């Protein structure tokens, strides 16, 4: 179950790179799951969820800008893989499956990056413009991240 949740949180990283680690950090900090005795203990520290939350909000805003590059360019894609790995590993670490969670998070981030781009393109075509599709993707990413992290506990 934890590996499936790690895969799913990786998908969220593919949609919104900072939403997944922000949600996972909140779960760890609120004690929904314990990573205190793992190498990822910092995810449950007092300031970690706040830092990731600020980064997630900045990402939600900048994603709406027309100058924002595609999520599939190397820098954006790499960031999604790294945050998917971090979020997935944190969920995996809660059940002593750190490495498995890391791999699942990376796979999920790849799926989320390509799948999210394709779905958003279809939604944007249906709406005739991108902003409504982007807002729907934002909402899906945030709600799904909360549900996934809630399921870890």
């Amino acid at each position: 179950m934890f590996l499936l949740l790690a895969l799913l949180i990786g998908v969220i990283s593919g949609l919104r790179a900072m939403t997944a680690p922000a949600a996972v950090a909140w779960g760890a900090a609120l004690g929904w799951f314990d990573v205190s005795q793992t190498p990822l203990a910092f995810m449950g520290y007092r300031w970690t969820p706040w830092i990731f939350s600020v980064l997630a909000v900045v990402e939600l805003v900048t994603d709406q800008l027309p100058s924002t590059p595609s999520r599939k360019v190397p820098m954006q894609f790499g960031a999604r893989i790294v945050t998917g790995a971090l979020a997935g590993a944190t969920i995996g670490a809660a059940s002593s499956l750190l490495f498995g969670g890391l791999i699942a998070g990376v796979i999920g981030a790849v799926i989320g990056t390509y799948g999210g781009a394709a779905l958003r393109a279809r939604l944007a075509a249906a709406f005739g413009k991108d902003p409504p599709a982007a807002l729907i993707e934002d909402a899906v990413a945030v709600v799904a991240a909360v549900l996934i992290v809630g399921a870890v506990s």
Side-chain angles (χ1 to χ4, degrees), residues 50-67:
W50 292 101
I51 293 166
F52 278 120
S53 294
V54 167
L55 293 171
V57 169
V58 168
E59 180 184 23
L60 292 174
V61 171
T62 59
D63 182 62
Q64 304 299 320
L65 302 175
S67 61

Side-chain angles (χ1 to χ4, degrees), residues 34-90:
D34 183 24
V35 292
S36 63
Q37 303 302 313
T38 73
L40 296 172
F42 73 92
M43 289 296 281
Y45 290 176
R46 181 179 183 180
W47 294 104
T48 305
W50 292 101
I51 293 166
F52 278 120
S53 294
V54 167
L55 293 171
V57 169
V58 168
E59 180 184 23
L60 292 174
V61 171
T62 59
D63 182 62
Q64 304 299 320
L65 302 175
S67 61
T68 301
S70 166
R71 70 184 80 199
K72 297 184 282 184
V73 300
M75 182 69 80
Q76 297 277 347
F77 189 66
R80 291 165 195 278
I81 289 173
V82 168
T83 60
L86 174 62
T90 304

Side-chain angles (χ1 to χ4, degrees), residues 68 136 140:
T68 301
I136 289 170
V140 167

